Amino acid sequence: LRMLTGNRAFNQLVEREFFKWMQRTQLRRKLWAMCHSRTGDGESFAVLQTNPAFPDVQLDVLPIEPEQCQSPYGNFVESGLIDGVHYDEFNNIVAYDILPQHPGGSLKAINAAKFQPQTVPASQVVHWFKLKRPGAHRGIPDCTATLGTGAVSRRIREATATALETAASLSAISST
């Protein structure tokens, strides 16, 4: 944070306090994880919450997996609910459905409560994704367009190995 008001002492005070808060919340590490999630999953989420363990500013940032923002039982009952995101009639985001645990978590934790989302107001959720198409509600990974390249490369590699094996077996037959 870089404060640029006319009061140098005030600027330094705010910058110093913000830096302390960033260290206490481990904000740099959390933003780094969110950046990787946005690249690999296409989107990243964080919930802004109160953390009573912090003495002064109790605001904390809790990054969550994109899979935790969902409507586990479908979007059939409520209009304006699309994949865990609640919209009003003007297509403004109102709230998010956040599962308390990752849906693929440990087997010990499997119970009905795990799949009951908590509705969190949009003002308390950071949803970071690149809007690539009009009307998109969720993000898609940056590497999506290249997924076919991996499959083609694998087929070429397998075909080359098969051709080499065939050539080796034919040469063994013709040399005898």
Side-chain angles (χ1 to χ4, degrees):
L1 178 67
R2 182 86 169 145
M3 294 293 292
L4 298 174
T5 69
N7 186 337
R8 186 169 183 235
F10 174 75
N11 293 345
Q12 289 176 343
L13 172 69
V14 171
E15 289 170 5
R16 186 173 46 252
E17 292 302 313
F18 184 78
F19 184 74
K20 282 190 224 175
W21 175 79
M22 280 184 56
Q23 286 185 313
R24 188 170 41 246
T25 60
Q26 299 180 4
L27 185 64
R28 181 183 176 278
R29 186 177 75 116
K30 293 174 181 179
L31 291 176
W32 183 260
M34 290 178 67
C35 182
H36 282 281
S37 176
R38 205 217 51 86
T39 302
D41 298 332
E43 60 189 341
S44 184
F45 289 89
V47 177
L48 304 177
Q49 62 183 12
T50 301
N51 188 338
F54 298 160
D56 302 327
V57 178
Q58 295 184 342
L59 175 66
D60 198 1
V61 179
L62 176 67
I64 62 168
E65 290 281 345
E67 291 85 4
Q68 284 180 256
C69 178
Q70 63 171 280
S71 307
Y73 302 114
N75 304 326
F76 310 111
V77 180
E78 185 179 337
S79 66
L81 175 62
I82 300 172
D83 199 19
V85 184
H86 295 261
Y87 294 88
D88 64 10
E89 65 272 10
F90 303 107
N91 210 30
N92 298 313
I93 298 173
V94 177
Y96 292 87
D97 283 341
I98 307 291
L99 295 176
Q101 297 176 1
H102 190 280
S106 72
L107 293 175
K108 279 181 154 179
I110 292 181
N111 57 36
K114 177 180 175 181
F115 295 104
Q116 291 300 319
Q118 299 169 347
T119 302
V120 181
S123 61
Q124 295 176 350
V125 177
V126 176
H127 183 193
W128 180 21
F129 73 100
K130 187 183 288 188
L131 183 63
K132 293 184 178 180
R133 296 182 55 92
H137 297 86
R138 302 285 298 259
I140 59 171
D142 292 342
C143 65
T144 301
T146 64
L147 290 176
T149 306
V152 170
S153 176
R154 183 175 53 252
R155 286 178 35 218
I156 291 171
R157 197 172 55 245
E158 290 171 358
T160 303
T162 303
L164 289 172
E165 290 170 354
T166 303
S169 67
L170 290 177
S171 65
I173 293 170
S174 62
S175 67
T176 58

